[in-house]
Amino acid sequence: EVHRELYGCNAEIAILEEGDPDFVTEKLKQFNHALESLKKKEAYEVAMMECAEEVNDPDFRLRFLRADLFHPKKAARRFVKYWEAKVDVWGVERAFKGKIQFSDLCPDTIAFLRRGSIRQLGSDEHGRGLIWHRFQDYGPCTKSGILKAVWWIQEQMTEEESLQKKGFVIVSWIMGSFSLTDWDRTRSQRLIDILKAFPLRVVGFHHCFNDMKVRGLLPVFLMFLGKATRLRYRFHTGKASDCLAALCEFGISGDKLPVDSTGKISYEGYSTWVSRLKSALDDQEQHQEILEQEPPVA
């Protein structure tokens, strides 16, 4: 199943759901039983007291079942991790007050989002969500600001039912020189923890690089991923054209990515990303100035 999903043959979640009208109902019951049997779930228990309507929402719980291909015990553990991660990123004063809004983001976090170093590129040709990651574009931002930005991006993606069913692919583009001092081990661990807690399935994780110092970090990084995600991890080395060709074999065509065969970063789709951020602003004029800035320089 992992091999099939890596190459774009998605798990047929829709068939499971539509084949038997009682399938989802039964799986939700099993999810609830699995949740009650878990011992350590402090954040979840607080959520039950503070925002029971959200916690008990069947549609919300269904997202976690889809993320774990309807394995109730795995989904229940992910559900508990979700609340733990939300407290870790947002604190108890915000974690139990509903969906994170753009208004919850500080200027530091919005500036990070504007740079587009981590952003959704839409979907690939198989309907999987496609996340672009390029840490060279991070710019100045606190660790907390980056975590909150990633949380907001993930939360937007979970709203799309098709992505709940088909999952998403991460392309981390680290071409060019790399300094070991640029890598923040703690930040990477916490970002991976968020990925594993969210009700979205990582069906593929691709690292593209040409500096062999990156390869030296892979054993530590793979340890962070955990077994399930590690099976879906692939790295690609060489010239940009080599990496793009390799990604194509996994159903990720180069025309979906903001980079050409020479390795030059394109910002043609950047305006689409900024427009999406602006649409989330509502009437928050205080942040318009941040989003009107020029795109980062490749």
Side-chain angles (χ1 to χ4, degrees):
E1 187 60 55
V2 170
H3 185 79
R4 282 169 50 79
E5 285 196 313
L6 266 172
Y7 286 88
C9 299
N10 294 298
E12 299 297 330
I13 291 181
I15 294 176
L16 289 173
E17 293 185 37
E18 296 166 8
D20 180 354
D22 298 321
F23 176 80
V24 171
T25 301
E26 181 58 32
K27 287 297 180 179
L28 282 169
K29 288 180 181 177
Q30 293 175 21
F31 173 89
N32 295 339
H33 289 314
L35 197 54
E36 291 307 313
S37 68
L38 293 176
K39 303 298 182 184
K40 190 176 179 181
K41 49 186 177 182
E42 182 179 340
Y44 158 75
E45 290 173 340
V46 175
M48 280 293 290
M49 292 186 289
E50 298 293 331
C51 51
E53 184 175 353
E54 178 185 5
V55 176
N56 291 318
D57 182 355
D59 289 335
F60 185 54
R61 294 188 171 205
L62 179 56
R63 297 177 185 183
F64 290 84
L65 280 167
R66 286 170 173 158
D68 283 299
L69 299 178
F70 288 97
H71 292 288
K73 291 182 179 179
K74 291 181 180 179
R77 288 194 291 269
R78 186 189 292 261
F79 196 63
V80 169
K81 287 180 181 177
Y82 170 86
W83 291 106
E84 292 172 350
K86 195 171 185 181
V87 170
D88 180 51
V89 174
W90 296 96
V92 293
E93 64 280 355
R94 179 61 186 88
F96 308 114
K97 294 182 180 178
K99 178 183 173 182
I100 300 301
Q101 304 295 327
F102 206 81
S103 57
D104 292 308
L105 306 181
C106 67
D108 184 46
T109 302
I110 293 173
F112 176 82
L113 283 169
R114 184 202 64 81
R115 284 189 285 274
S117 54
I118 303 177
R119 67 184 189 271
Q120 185 186 354
L121 298 175
S123 302
D124 69 7
E125 57 194 64
H126 300 288
R128 304 173 298 183
L130 191 56
I131 287 185
W132 171 258
H133 172 249
R134 178 176 150 82
F135 88 92
Q136 289 99 323
D137 288 339
Y138 273 20
C141 188
T142 64
K143 186 182 303 180
S144 174
I146 294 173
L147 295 173
K148 289 178 178 178
V150 170
W151 188 282
W152 183 84
I153 292 171
Q154 292 279 94
E155 199 158 82
Q156 302 307 301
M157 293 178 68
T158 60
E159 296 296 314
E160 300 181 43
E161 185 174 318
S162 64
L163 297 187
Q164 295 171 25
K165 294 179 178 180
K166 295 187 176 182
F168 67 97
V169 177
I170 299 172
V171 175
S172 185
W173 192 265
I174 315 178
M175 304 297 282
S177 60
F178 177 83
S179 171
L180 293 177
T181 58
D182 293 333
W183 188 58
D184 187 322
R185 177 172 177 159
T186 304
R187 182 182 63 201
S188 295
Q189 175 68 78
R190 293 182 71 189
L191 286 171
I192 294 298
D193 288 344
I194 291 175
L195 286 177
K196 292 193 288 189
F198 249 84
L200 275 176
R201 196 169 72 264
V202 180
V203 296
F205 199 139
H206 299 268
H207 256 135
C208 301
F209 57 88
N210 57 2
D211 189 327
M212 289 302 106
K213 289 195 292 293
V214 177
R215 193 165 188 167
L217 294 174
L218 291 186
V220 178
F221 184 76
L222 291 173
M223 180 183 67
F224 288 167
L225 290 181
K227 182 179 179 181
T229 307
R230 192 159 56 237
L231 291 172
R232 302 170 184 275
Y233 177 84
R234 297 293 185 274
F235 68 85
H236 314 287
T237 62
K239 296 182 294 185
S241 56
D242 297 328
C243 291
L244 291 173
L247 290 171
C248 260
E249 295 180 11
F250 291 89
I252 306 167
S253 58
D255 61 353
K256 296 286 186 179
L257 302 174
V259 62
D260 65 20
S261 60
T262 69
K264 182 179 180 181
I265 303 298
S266 168
Y267 289 98
E268 287 184 13
Y270 177 80
S271 59
T272 302
W273 171 247
V274 173
S275 295
R276 181 172 181 177
L277 296 180
K278 286 182 177 179
S279 69
L281 270 175
D282 297 322
D283 297 321
Q284 300 169 62
E285 295 182 3
Q286 71 270 30
H287 296 319
Q288 283 284 359
E289 183 177 335
I290 298 173
L291 296 180
E292 293 295 342
Q293 296 174 23
E294 291 297 315
V297 177

